[in-house]
């Protein structure tokens, strides 16, 4: 395969999506596939801040047809492997490496993909191991390594939460956190735990959102930790506040904000503000190969294929279909067999193995079932 440099499928990225998709293709009987990882398998998880854990719980329930929420295959379980309910990033990377090794997946580490071009032969990939030609490409590069560092003027004076190695070692006793979703609450939980004060500024009042979808409202795990942070009386939640700019003046950081009800307000702190401002995502690297709607969201076919570039698929946390958001592992793994089926049909393969995914509850091809549930 390396000699001829020709593949049937190239997967970009060896995180949860890339490793899970690799396993699915191998189950389908595709041999000429290769997953390219510029660093190491699960490297994004290894870069998580110390103390950060999965907000979705791991539980060994595969034998009863309900796969572990954080599993990427229907026959493995991070809970069983790691003996942890809420794994750390380093632990989850260990699980991913175990899956890759245990099933002898075709994953090449330390390979940079610098460009992708469409040609009559399929796709031409320029990589650090030379030119690769592939009939299909699956983009699984993820988001974590592409933080949003410029959400407003003066953001360079802040520190993105992904750039923090350990909350315990941050200098300062009083912090301003910009963003009230999962990462913002995680930062506040750890800072208050270590005796520091924190104020969360959020345009919405995310902590008050009530929706059954944890992609929209805070997860139960995060809400539990929020209560613990509030119990310290060192946390202040400030909603309906838009951050306009950060300036540095005489050794202090001044966060300038606007509010419909309170007008312009400034928050002053001696510590750099924490930016829990989310991610740009890796799609900017292949933006021209995809279509985007008026809200800036990617437009995909029913099989998660680009609507403007045939044979290019997207998997992972950046997949959306209208209001259905696949930003958790237990969600986006449901689309592995959908993509595999589309590729398998074009390669005239036997698709019967994919029915095992349906039996195990990892095959979501009818998005009409994704409905808001009642609060009872």
């Amino acid at each position: 395969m390396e000699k001829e440099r020709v593949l049937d499928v190239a997967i970009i990225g060896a995180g949860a999506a890339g490793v899970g998709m690799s396993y699915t293709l191998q189950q389908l009987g595709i041999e000429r596939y290769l997953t390219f990882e510029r660093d190491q398998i699960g490297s994004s998880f290894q870069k998580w801040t110390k103390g950060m854990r999965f907000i979705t719980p791991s539980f060994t329930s595969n034998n009863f047809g309900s796969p572990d929420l954080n599993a990427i295959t229907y026959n493995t379980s991070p809970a069983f492997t790691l003996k942890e309910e809420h794994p750390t990033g380093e632990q989850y990377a260990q699980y991913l490496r175990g899956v890759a090794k245990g099933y002898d997946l075709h994953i090449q580490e330390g390979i940079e993909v610098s460009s992708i071009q469409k040609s009559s032969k399929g796709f031409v990939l320029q990589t650090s191991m030379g030119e690769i030609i592939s009939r299909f490409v699956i983009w699984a590069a993820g988001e974590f390594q592409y933080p949003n560092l410029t959400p407003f003027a003066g953001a360079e004076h802040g520190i993105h939460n992904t750039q923090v190695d350990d909350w315990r070692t941050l200098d300062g006793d009083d912090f301003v956190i910009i963003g009230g979703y999962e990462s913002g609450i995680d930062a506040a939980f750890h800072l208050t735990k270590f005796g520091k004060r924190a104020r969360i500024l959020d345009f919405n009042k995310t902590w008050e959102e009530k929706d059954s979808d944890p992609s929209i409202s805070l997860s139960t795990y995060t809400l539990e930790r929020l209560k613990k942070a509030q119990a310290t009386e060192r946390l202040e939640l400030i909603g309906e506040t838009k951050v306009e700019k950060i300036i540095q003046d005489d050794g202090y950081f001044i966060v300038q904000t606007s509010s419909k009800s309170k007008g312009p307000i400034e928050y002053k702190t001696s510590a750099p503000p924490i930016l829990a401002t989310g991610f740009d995502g890796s799609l900017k690297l292949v933006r021209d190969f995809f279509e985007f709607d008026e809200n800036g969201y990617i437009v995909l076919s029913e099989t998660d294929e680009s609507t403007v570039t045939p044979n290019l698929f997207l998997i992972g946390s950046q997949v959306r279909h209208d209001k259905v958001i696949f930003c958790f592992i237990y969600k986006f793994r449901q689309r592995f067999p959908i993509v595999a089926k589309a590729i398998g049909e074009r390669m005239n393969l036997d698709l019967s193995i994919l029915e095992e995914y349906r039996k195990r509850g990892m095959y979501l091809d009818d998005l009409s079932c994704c409905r808001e549930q009642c609060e009872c």
Side-chain angles (χ1 to χ4, degrees), residues 3-304:
K3 182 178 180 180
E4 59 183 354
R5 307 284 188 185
V6 176
L7 302 172
D8 288 317
V9 187
I11 302 173
I12 314 302
V19 176
M21 195 69 228
S22 299
Y23 173 82
T24 305
L25 294 183
Q26 189 156 292
Q27 288 290 98
L28 199 59
I30 297 177
E31 297 182 356
R32 292 201 312 173
Y33 78 89
L34 186 60
T35 300
F36 298 88
E37 170 54 51
R38 67 179 182 180
D39 198 344
Q40 296 177 314
I41 295 172
S43 60
S44 290
F45 295 101
Q46 290 178 292
K47 294 176 181 177
W48 278 13
T49 305
K50 186 176 181 180
M52 182 179 289
R53 291 178 175 271
F54 269 69
I55 60 177
T56 44
S58 283
F59 195 84
T60 305
S61 54
N62 302 49
N63 292 346
F64 290 85
S66 180
D68 186 320
L69 287 183
N70 297 316
I72 55 170
T73 77
Y74 54 75
N75 50 7
T76 63
S77 167
F80 182 79
T81 301
L82 305 171
K83 305 298 185 288
E84 289 280 351
E85 184 176 16
H86 293 275
T88 65
E90 175 58 43
Q91 288 173 328
Y92 195 76
Q94 177 186 336
Y95 160 72
L96 292 179
R97 291 192 292 268
V99 172
K101 182 178 180 179
Y103 292 100
D104 195 23
L105 302 181
H106 302 170
I107 300 175
Q108 185 72 51
E109 296 178 310
I111 302 299
E112 182 80 34
V113 177
S114 57
S115 71
I116 300 177
Q117 298 295 327
K118 197 76 170 70
S119 76
S120 57
K121 298 179 180 180
F123 295 90
V124 179
L125 286 68
Q126 299 299 332
T127 78
S128 54
M129 64 183 291
E131 185 175 279
I132 305 292
I133 297 174
S134 183
R135 179 178 175 184
F136 301 95
V137 168
I138 300 175
W139 191 260
E143 296 183 305
F144 189 81
Q145 297 190 50
Y146 305 90
N148 182 8
L149 300 177
T150 57
F152 43 74
E156 67 274 10
H157 297 304
I159 302 175
H160 197 275
N161 68 283
T162 60
Q163 298 172 321
V164 177
D165 293 325
D166 189 340
W167 296 111
R168 189 194 301 266
T169 61
L170 280 186
D171 293 331
D173 296 311
D174 189 11
F175 289 83
V176 170
I177 301 169
I178 302 170
Y181 196 53
E182 306 287 351
S183 297
I185 305 300
D186 180 73
F189 169 76
H190 286 95
L191 290 172
T192 55
K193 176 182 176 181
F194 298 135
K196 304 175 188 293
R197 301 190 67 84
R199 285 169 287 181
I200 294 180
L201 310 181
D202 191 63
F203 181 69
N204 303 303
K205 292 184 178 181
T206 311
W207 46 85
E208 293 184 2
E209 287 280 356
K210 291 185 178 181
D211 195 288
S212 61
D213 187 350
S215 297
I216 298 174
S217 60
L218 295 176
S219 69
T220 305
Y221 182 65
T222 298
L223 288 171
E224 289 179 352
R225 293 186 301 155
L226 175 59
K227 291 178 182 177
K228 293 178 181 179
Q230 289 177 303
T232 67
E233 298 185 349
R234 291 190 291 271
L235 173 62
E236 182 180 5
L237 302 176
I238 305 171
E240 299 179 344
T241 299
K242 180 181 180 181
V243 174
E244 302 287 354
K245 188 177 183 179
I246 299 176
I247 61 174
Q248 193 171 8
D249 181 44
D250 195 26
Y252 287 90
F253 299 89
I254 300 173
V255 182
Q256 298 179 337
T257 72
S258 61
S259 169
K260 289 183 179 180
S261 59
K262 300 178 182 179
I265 300 178
E266 293 184 346
Y267 297 90
K268 187 176 182 180
T269 174
S270 60
I274 304 299
L275 309 179
T277 50
F279 307 91
D280 287 332
S282 64
L283 285 175
K284 62 182 180 181
L285 303 178
V286 287
R287 187 175 183 86
D288 292 343
F289 292 111
F290 288 98
E291 178 185 1
F292 293 81
D293 65 20
E294 62 276 8
N295 297 314
Y297 296 130
I298 193 167
V299 179
L300 297 170
S301 73
E302 293 182 353
T303 57
D304 296 351

